[in-house]
Amino acid sequence: VGTILYSGGVVDRIIGRFEKGFVEKLTQKRLIGREAEYPVVWPDGNAADVRLLLKELHKKDLQDFTPMFEELPCRLLGSEKQLAGLRSPDKKLEIVLEVGWGTVEVITGPFGDLNELKTAHEDAMRFVVHAAARLGMKVLGSGLQPRTRPNLELMTPRPRYLTMRDLLGEEVWEAWCVTASDQIHVDVCKEEIPRVNNLVNLLHPLVVALCGNSAVLGGEISPFMCARQGLMRDLGYRHGMPLTPISSLRDHIAKIMDFPFLWIRNDDGQLEVIEDRTFEQWASEQETKHGSNSTTRLDNEYDCFLLHDHYVWHSARPRNKQGTVECRAACQQPWSEHMSAAALHLGMVENSEGIWSLIQEEGGGENMTFDEVWGDFQNTTMDAENVGLGMLREDASFLNADFVESILKECRKGLESRGLNEEHLLDPLFHRMQKRKNPAQEAVEIAKSDGLQGFISHSEINCGF
């Protein structure tokens, strides 16, 4: 527990570049961007092929969008490339193919206002939903494919995915083929990163309890209210809530470097698996082997770190390319409440100081550290994944109903401070607290009473929205 100590060397070289992606001070309202994934299904609930949907969109709706093609690992269906996405001329919208070809990802932003982001996202989704309807497909406001189970056939053909499957395990990697998350990027300045990153990771169980929406899998009710998180447990602390908080951005880099390094691309562009070494060990070996700190070697080292960092999926992680903290814990939400997770996370970031003060007050005083409270929250993650808001207990030290409602009120203060009338987007979360049910708990009731087709009808995003 605590800070990992590395003396100079690799960590200092990496952080010297990494921190340049973040401004010293924010001079405008925070920008926000959204990466929203949606399961796409046929009427019977089986996964539909998003590659067909992308072709339909480009042919009939988004002709001025730039198509993004990928080389196929082998000649497939008479083609050497697959259409993997479409990008708008202003580069503020991308519609792309996910890990599983039954999931579409809609990337919008950045924008300075959640209401602007909402409008842009809904405009994009209108194209997606109408094109899907023309093909006989349905787009769902859900965090999981409801009928098709995780399997290799559902995996989008990309060479790195087969490698990741071998390295991380068949079950856990194939689970990625059926999940759908709702991620938000929020602007941060350099000095905020430790507090914001720690706070959002600390509140992982709260986000899962409020926003879990992945309970129906393989046509049945799964053991989880948030299977998106539950199915990833074998990844350990590489996914979800980290083992420990960070004390600084340098400590964050050191801890990421302490994870096993998976693979690199060699000079021929082929994947080369790294056996039984952390990134720090691999980088130190390269320094010893090649000697000089040439620009070429240091550029390669940094590029390899960014690749390594990409495959550590904590619920909050600093993204130096965008200058943001990426918030990842939420499932895709029901369409009528589709901005609620984005509003929750933005409120956390905007009022991170006030929320942390509230946690300190609840836990023992203003001198309390993240290390002291981390275990209390970590111990509740499985309950949040398993039973959603059913985890709330009046005798709990933190995650009781009064505490969660207090956190929501602090998030609302954060949005109110922006003066953009964004706080109403949190209303669905207060309603969930009143009912003590998150979307997954509601969905389970519908699946029990009306079956799989009833659940699909409940989750479908209709053309007329």
Side-chain angles (χ1 to χ4, degrees), residues 122-158:
E122 290 176 355
D123 288 346
M125 285 298 292
R126 199 167 281 110
F127 284 118
V128 171
V129 172
H130 280 266
R134 292 197 299 267
L135 297 173
M137 301 173 177
K138 298 176 183 288
V139 183
L140 306 183
S142 174
L144 202 62
Q145 281 283 343
R147 186 167 186 174
T148 303
R149 291 188 175 276
N151 66 84
L152 179 60
E153 287 72 28
L154 188 59
M155 187 181 296
T156 298
R158 290 168 174 147

Side-chain angles (χ1 to χ4, degrees), residues 85-100:
L86 301 168
R87 181 184 292 122
S88 65
D90 65 1
K91 299 182 180 179
K92 284 202 168 187
L93 168 62
E94 291 184 8
I95 303 171
V96 300
L97 182 63
E98 250 297 311
V99 176

Side-chain angles (χ1 to χ4, degrees), residues 103-124:
T103 307
V104 65
E105 182 175 19
V106 180
I107 304 169
T108 40
F111 293 96
D113 180 343
L114 279 178
N115 294 301
E116 291 178 14
L117 179 60
K118 178 177 183 289
T119 298
H121 191 79
E122 290 176 355
D123 288 346

